[in-house]
Amino acid sequence: MSYAELFAKSNFSFLTGASHAEELILQASELGLDAIAITDKNTFAGVVRGYAAAKELGVKYIIGVELVFRDNVSILAYPKTRQGYGNLCRLLTIGKRRAAKGECHLDLADLLEWGDECMLIIAVGGTAKAGRVLGERFPDQVYIGMAPYYDGEDENRFAVCAAQAKRLGLPIVALGNVLMHHAQRRRLADILSCIREKTSIDKLGRLAQPNAERRLKSEFEIRRVFKDYPEALQNSMSIATSCEFSLEQLQYEYPDEVTDGLPPNERLRQLTESGLKNRYPDGCSLKVRAMVEKELTLINELNYARYFLTVYDIVAFARSKNILCQGRGSAANSVVCYALGITEASPEIISMVFERFISAARNEPPDIDVDFEHERREEVIQHIYQKYGRHRAGICSTVIHFRSRAAIHTCRSMLVVL
Amino acid sequence: MHRVLSIWLPQLPLNRLERDGDLRLQEVFAITAEIKNAWRITHLSSAAYAAGLNAGMSVPDARAIAPELLTEPSNPMRDENLLRALWRWADTLSPWVSVSSPDGLLLDITGCAHLFGGEEKMVEHASSRLADMQIDSRIAIADTKGAAWALSRFGRDNLTLAPNGNTADALEGISLAGLNLSPATLNDLRRSGLNTFEQLYAIKSSELARRFGLELTSALAKTLGHSIDPVLPKSADQIYAARMTLPEPIGLLSDLQEVLQRLAESVCARLKKRSCGARRFHLTVRCVDTGDHNLIVGFAKPCATAGAVIQQYLQPLDKLKIEFGADWFRLEAKQIEPVQPQQQSLVGEPEVSDYTAEVISTLGNRLGFDRVWQFVALDSHLPEQEFCAVEAMDRTDQPVWHQAPRKRPLRLYQSPEILHILTPGRPPQLFQWRRQVYKTLQAIGPERLTPEWWQNKKSPLRDYWRVQTESGLRLWLLNYPGHKKSEWFVAGRFP
């Protein structure tokens, strides 16, 4: 028998989780857990970090998310397949677009629509109703989670959960309810609670952690907590094995609008040739010709033609509207970019190696940074929306986080240090 | 034309200490305050000046110059109190006095000066009276508030009289700091080379406004008397008191009650008018032979009902020994607090559902308010920190008791009592406590509590168990899991 931790919050559950995803994965690997899922509140933002760390350490990593509904019911969802992951991303997008920034408004009806190809665990609250509805809609996908709170009432809580699961005919599963990877992080968890509740540590009262038990636990420790429910532990493993989705299955999908009816490679070659004619009206040197051939071959090989065409399309639009734009960075090493008019510096005068831009060994598309005149950037954005559709274009967001100076300053006020 | 007198008390904090007989003033001594995260000198003794120190210096710098420096942090509250006392005193000069915090007074003396024999005599009178009180002062009279303020602070002499109707000339050579502008504007002016009043006269007001903002031009217009800037007197705290003098002394309890009734009705009517109530009443009874007797009653809630006041005075009045009678009475309400008006019932007497405040008042007046205590809820996981007792009088509202999120015993032992374990277990299967043997039937737990790490107190990790014994007693058992010796304690018992 073995155990997979399916309910752990990282610091991407803002001001709640007290450990980095990497720390959780490292600790899980040291404790010898068979698998771990990081389930942040209404976000997949932490999955990449967790995935990268798990890949390095060889821990089985399950993509998951904690869906917190408007009526405070909390359901854990784990995509089984690529389709399931897409469904959950859609679900979160719908919820976030309904609400103000930083919030997510979800209802059970949304999950009924988008919950296919996922494993679901009803973690907190509303077990009866959610269990009945979801159990009917998604047979063999729904579990009742038993999450300990380490407050002396867990035995009663588990008994209630088990009875309810029996009545609903659903299996039970053990959850760790993890907030931190190590007991030492309790202090940090309390400080985060202070920041969240906008109070200071001496006024935090019962919102503080009563103990440091909500840490990542070894199989031995967790077995003691769930000593009366061995099948709950067993089920955690069966969920872990049925979730086969991994971030590796995600592929870049480039738009088809830009090929002008031709195969993308031909279209790119055509544009490059005409671009070269503009750049070198007297015909280009053999060296440049050789570089172009080399690049086009590599682009064909790695199937990046549509990506280049997309960037070309945006730059061409900006040029046609007289919006200033300029490609920069490693893209300046590429003759193709120069020919397409994305960059302005001739690659002959730049001595950097082309492999810094694209190489077959790197296995990820090159990044072409294009800067636009900030006052007219909106026009470019609107063009993209119009051409590719609003539902297929988005603005990248970043997660800002504390730097040491702000962190020390905030802690100081929470700890009421004068 | 108005005339305004400005009194500046440059050494107010030092004067306060001097009046208290502080001997450090003879030595190198300074008052300090925290300004922008640094302790700086605000006022200093003459010996400190002689040692080469200056106001505005940081304390470490000053210590480097004069290591023998003695300092005291400023106490704005006590300075304010002294200033308010002086404000009351200034009534002798003019009835129209306002406080200009932190260290000045402004008086509208229009039509008052002749009572002192002219402005010159008036200023001398004020200055010498303040000197009698050991308070240093600089005084100026001018047509406007701003001019008087500036002349008292930045004038050449300690006593300045600006001629009537010629404020602009009187201000010639006075620093622009006298306009009481924000530091940023003043700095701007200094950078432009504008330092004194007469430099501004030559510049058009519109140009000044464009360059330095309306703050400067409006201050200048007020100071020169082009726009109105009246002295606004600060009103005194309202006193709620009533007094009664009788032609013949009285001594019967019923007579005393009758007097009290009239006094209380008068005071309470005024309190009610302002929607206020008093937490304390002082009754002074002047007996013809034994002098004044002060009777004080307190209230847990602000009170403005004559009946309640009389009710609380019944016992103190009864105890009061009056042999030859009393002929002078005064009732004063203190600790005035606002009262929220309450919904009255439409018919009959208003319903009072909560008598706690009255019980506290009555008990407090009988036994002393330091003996009436009340439990209040605190917010903590640790059982002994979930409540505390405070003096009931200190509370204005009823304590709110939320349902504790965890089950807690009704009876909590102040120090947990150790068990004698007969059959070990977790928790013990069979144990002896208070000379009786108990057998564990059912145990729920553990509830683990860690100490509050931000407290300095070192306390160990605890595990609590709810234990149902065979005899029916339900106990709260405690164990310290980190300890080598596995000892168990009874922390409390459930009903």
Side-chain angles (χ1 to χ4, degrees), chain A residues 157-174:
Chain A
R157 195 173 285 132
F158 291 167
V160 169
C161 275
Q164 205 144 38
K166 202 171 177 188
R167 202 160 52 239
L168 292 164
L170 295 172
I172 51 169
V173 63

Side-chain angles (χ1 to χ4, degrees), chain A residues 150-153 155-156 186-188 190-191 201-213 415, chain B residues 378-381 386 403-407 443-454 464-466:
Chain A
Y150 306 102
D151 58 353
E153 304 293 328
E155 271 179 50
N156 293 343
R186 173 176 164 243
R187 296 178 176 210
L188 183 61
D190 286 344
I191 292 283
I201 191 77
D202 50 338
K203 298 193 188 77
L204 192 58
R206 292 197 183 94
L207 293 171
Q209 295 295 321
N211 49 44
E213 297 298 309
L415 291 170
Chain B
L378 296 180
D379 199 13
S380 173
H381 288 296
E386 281 182 75
Q403 174 84 41
R406 315 276 167 71
K407 287 217 169 88
I444 298 168
E447 178 183 349
R448 176 161 294 185
L449 293 178
T450 40
E452 293 176 332
W453 55 268
W454 55 92
Y464 285 102
W465 294 77
R466 296 210 311 269

Side-chain angles (χ1 to χ4, degrees), chain B residues 169-298:
Chain B
D169 286 351
L171 286 170
E172 260 178 37
I174 302 291
S175 159
L176 283 178
L179 275 176
N180 208 1
L181 299 167
S182 66
T185 316
L186 196 61
N187 207 22
D188 266 3
L189 285 165
R190 197 169 295 140
R191 276 199 207 137
S192 330
L194 298 169
N195 288 316
T196 53
F197 273 89
E198 77 273 10
Q199 288 174 310
L200 293 186
Y201 299 160
I203 307 171
K204 264 202 219 157
S205 168
S206 57
E207 280 167 20
L208 281 179
R210 203 171 58 215
R211 172 66 182 82
F212 302 105
L214 285 175
E215 186 198 0
L216 173 65
T217 46
S218 87
L220 191 63
K222 281 178 181 172
T223 305
L224 295 177
H226 302 322
S227 61
I228 302 163
D229 186 21
V231 172
L232 299 172
K234 198 168 165 184
S235 67
D237 292 338
Q238 180 92 26
I239 291 173
Y240 297 93
R243 183 172 68 175
M244 188 179 276
T245 317
L246 302 175
E248 289 287 326
I250 55 167
L252 283 174
L253 189 60
S254 57
D255 293 346
L256 291 174
Q257 278 177 20
E258 182 62 31
V259 168
L260 183 62
Q261 169 98 31
R262 291 187 190 182
L263 293 176
E265 271 167 9
S266 155
V267 170
C268 290
R270 269 182 285 158
L271 282 171
K272 261 187 196 152
K273 209 170 157 190
R274 296 263 180 128
S275 337
C276 286
R279 295 281 300 273
R280 236 163 3 114
F281 283 88
H282 287 220
L283 176 69
T284 314
V285 180
R286 187 168 293 166
C287 295
V288 284
D289 50 346
T290 50
D292 284 0
H293 295 275
N294 234 329
L295 306 176
I296 302 171
V297 295

Side-chain angles (χ1 to χ4, degrees), chain A residues 254-257 387-394:
Chain A
Y254 301 111
D256 294 320
E257 280 88 341
K387 179 149 189 179
Y388 301 97
R390 247 194 139 81
H391 60 292
R392 292 167 64 195

Side-chain angles (χ1 to χ4, degrees), chain A residues 253-273:
Chain A
E253 286 174 23
Y254 301 111
D256 294 320
E257 280 88 341
V258 290
T259 56
D260 224 2
L262 295 169
N265 293 335
E266 267 171 47
R267 171 83 176 142
L268 183 63
R269 176 167 286 274
Q270 201 181 353
L271 286 171
T272 311
E273 293 299 339

